Amino acid sequence: MTLVVVTGAGGFVGAHLVHALKTRQPSVRVRGVDVRAPEYGPSGADEFVLADLREPEQCAAAVAGADQVFALAANMGGIGWTHAAPAEILRDNLLISVNTVEACRKAAVGTVVYASSACVYPNSLQRRPDSAPLRESPVFPADPDMEYGWEKLTTEILCDTFRRTHAMDIKVARLHAIYGPLGAYSGLRAKSLSMLCGKVAAVPGGSGEIEVWGDGTQTRSYCYVDDCVTGLLRLARSTVDRPVNIGSEERISIAELVGRISAVAGKEIVPRYRPDKPVGPLGRVSDNTLCRQLLGWQPSTPLDFGLRRTYRWIEEQVTAVRTGEEAHR
């Protein structure tokens, strides 16, 4: 039986990937690996291994016997986290990535899929809200987004070197702003869309004010997690040997996003903008030309559809927490 290992299986994308593997490929055995158990319910993997992949021995044991490895494990979070813990992020992720690639080499893993990020792209290409969509080729001269982006770019180089030197089948997916249910929606680790959903859901009654970082003009493209998982699975089965974007081409400003979330919630929300807070790139949108060419596919879930599903899930979590707190008092 084919053994597929998903590192970072306790996290957001990893949890969805495990579910998709068991649903779409029931004949495979799935081993989930993470330093912590999934936050929102059981993993669904055939086995779940608690392991610290910063330790080479634990990493080697985690991928032992694997035919395929999806390397998603990382110390990551939203812009609040990348600004709060840059040294921790860089250290942890370098250790995790180097250990994982080397362990897969020693274990003769058939296929490795590494989850990189749009953060590898130069800041110079993302300085305006209407900046051109990001294609895969222009990553040098290197100027990635903070330490998180530097680690992702370094590991891409590592993957390419191991592919050429050791004839490893390593594929690289550059993920763009993945969102959906089961993701963090509060605290420093929450990403922008989920964070905004959480803030709106927490507003009592039908109207209120929320804090929004930046001035609202910065733009993004958000990729629904089901599309992301499908892209990772397609990439794993392909012969692609270069980085490929997995993201949406649907551009939206943060101000527009607040409006759409408010409409889904049925609330009158007044954004209180904070230009003094970190905002990241002013314009980041995926160009899916290469994805269409190489995989014959591209993410296609409309933002409004994914947003409704995501907000409803987050609203349920916020309500449950509030009810629990009230019951406790």
Side-chain angles (χ1 to χ4, degrees), residues 21-40:
L21 283 164
K22 294 306 300 177
T23 302
R24 305 181 198 181
Q25 302 178 29
S27 62
V28 306
R29 180 173 179 81
V30 178
R31 177 190 297 154
V33 179
D34 208 310
V35 73
R36 60 181 176 86
E39 185 173 358
Y40 302 107

Side-chain angles (χ1 to χ4, degrees), residues 47-66:
E47 58 176 314
F48 192 92
V49 176
L50 291 175
D52 186 344
L53 301 185
R54 295 172 299 181
E55 301 296 332
E57 297 80 9
Q58 294 188 44
C59 196
V63 305

Side-chain angles (χ1 to χ4, degrees), residues 2-15:
T2 300
L3 174 61
V4 179
V5 172
V6 178
T7 73
F12 164 50
V13 176

Side-chain angles (χ1 to χ4, degrees), residues 101-152:
V101 172
E102 176 65 1
C104 288
R105 180 189 72 83
K106 290 181 177 180
V109 174
T111 298
V112 180
V113 178
Y114 172 67
S116 186
S117 167
C119 290
V120 302
Y121 288 110
N123 287 303
S124 61
L125 301 178
Q126 306 169 76
R127 288 178 176 162
R128 303 189 318 272
D130 63 347
S131 292
L134 296 165
R135 305 190 72 167
E136 287 82 354
S137 52
V139 291
F140 296 102
D143 182 25
D145 188 5
M146 299 196 63
E147 287 75 9
Y148 181 77
W150 277 107
E151 186 279 324
K152 289 296 185 184

Side-chain angles (χ1 to χ4, degrees), residues 196 212 215-218 252-260 271 273:
L196 290 171
V212 179
D215 62 6
T217 62
Q218 62 269 35
I252 187 170
S253 72
I254 296 300
E256 292 169 332
L257 179 61
V258 172
R260 291 207 200 177
Y273 292 110

Side-chain angles (χ1 to χ4, degrees), residues 17-300:
L17 179 57
V18 168
H19 175 76
L21 283 164
K22 294 306 300 177
T23 302
R24 305 181 198 181
Q25 302 178 29
S27 62
V28 306
R29 180 173 179 81
V30 178
R31 177 190 297 154
V33 179
D34 208 310
V35 73
R36 60 181 176 86
E39 185 173 358
Y40 302 107
S43 163
D46 296 288
E47 58 176 314
F48 192 92
V49 176
L50 291 175
D52 186 344
L53 301 185
R54 295 172 299 181
E55 301 296 332
E57 297 80 9
Q58 294 188 44
C59 196
V63 305
D67 299 288
Q68 191 175 76
V69 171
F70 289 89
L72 275 58
N75 183 341
M76 65 178 298
I79 194 168
W81 182 243
T82 57
H83 278 75
E88 179 183 334
I89 288 169
L90 183 59
R91 178 201 65 209
D92 287 356
N93 291 343
L94 283 171
L95 289 170
I96 290 168
S97 296
V98 170
N99 288 343
T100 299
V101 172
E102 176 65 1
C104 288
R105 180 189 72 83
K106 290 181 177 180
V109 174
T111 298
V112 180
V113 178
Y114 172 67
S116 186
S117 167
C119 290
V120 302
Y121 288 110
N123 287 303
S124 61
L125 301 178
Q126 306 169 76
R127 288 178 176 162
R128 303 189 318 272
D130 63 347
S131 292
L134 296 165
R135 305 190 72 167
E136 287 82 354
S137 52
V139 291
F140 296 102
D143 182 25
D145 188 5
M146 299 196 63
E147 287 75 9
Y148 181 77
W150 277 107
E151 186 279 324
K152 289 296 185 184
L153 184 56
T154 301
T155 301
E156 285 194 11
I157 297 171
L158 178 74
C159 290
D160 181 62
T161 304
F162 270 58
R163 182 190 300 113
R164 290 182 287 104
T165 304
H166 301 296
M168 291 179 67
D169 180 20
I170 305 183
K171 305 169 192 306
V172 174
R174 290 181 182 157
L175 308 186
H176 287 247
I178 313 303
Y179 75 100
L182 307 185
Y185 56 87
S186 63
L188 293 179
R189 292 189 183 272
K191 300 296 186 70
S192 58
L193 184 148
S194 295
M195 171 72 81
L196 290 171
C197 285
K199 288 181 177 181
V200 171
V203 171
S207 64
E209 180 183 86
I210 65 169
E211 179 180 280
V212 179
W213 288 14
D215 62 6
T217 62
Q218 62 269 35
T219 63
R220 293 292 186 271
S221 64
Y222 294 95
C223 180
Y224 191 57
V225 66
D226 287 358
D227 279 338
C228 173
V229 165
T230 297
L232 291 172
L233 294 175
R234 280 180 171 259
L235 183 60
R237 295 193 298 267
S238 75
T239 59
V240 174
D241 62 356
R242 57 183 294 187
V244 178
N245 284 335
I246 295 181
S248 171
E249 293 182 320
E250 185 179 356
R251 186 191 299 266
I252 187 170
S253 72
I254 296 300
E256 292 169 332
L257 179 61
V258 172
R260 291 207 200 177
I261 295 171
S262 303
V264 170
K267 296 182 179 183
E268 294 289 336
I269 298 297
V270 177
R272 177 165 53 87
Y273 292 110
R274 294 289 304 275
D276 57 311
K277 292 289 189 177
V279 296
L282 295 184
R284 176 179 288 171
V285 176
S286 179
D287 183 319
N288 292 342
T289 302
L290 197 61
C291 185
R292 288 190 291 268
Q293 291 175 350
L294 298 183
L295 299 182
W297 168 90
Q298 66 174 333
S300 59

